[in-house]
């Protein structure tokens, strides 16, 4: 399981950041997280129940 996940993550780092496998395996988890956060930007929380209810009332077409 770990090997499969690590291989997938290494591939994603290669696609997203141009990392070679050597760079991936030499990086710390903190370095990878920092890059992911820099690319992803601020995380927006999902709407709560009250917000969804207000939206459903305002837009009843669904």
């Amino acid at each position: 399981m770990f090997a499969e996940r690590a291989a997938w993550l290494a591939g994603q780092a290669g696609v997203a950041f141009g990392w070679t496998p050597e760079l991936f395996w030499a990086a710390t988890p903190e370095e990878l997280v920092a890059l992911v956060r820099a690319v992803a930007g601020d995380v927006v929380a999902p709407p709560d129940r009250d917000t969804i209810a207000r939206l459903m009332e305002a837009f009843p077409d669904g």
Side-chain angles (χ1 to χ4, degrees):
M1 182 82 161
F2 173 80
E4 291 173 9
R5 298 262 185 200
W8 179 84
L9 191 54
Q12 294 299 311
V15 171
F17 310 122
W19 282 12
T20 62
E22 293 80 16
L23 283 172
F24 174 80
W25 289 110
T28 65
E30 290 81 12
E31 291 169 328
L32 182 56
V33 168
L35 282 174
V36 170
R37 285 186 177 151
V39 170
D42 293 331
V43 176
V44 177
D48 59 18
R49 287 180 185 246
D50 291 337
T51 302
I52 292 172
R54 284 194 309 271
L55 288 170
M56 290 173 68
E57 188 174 320
F59 302 98
D61 60 342

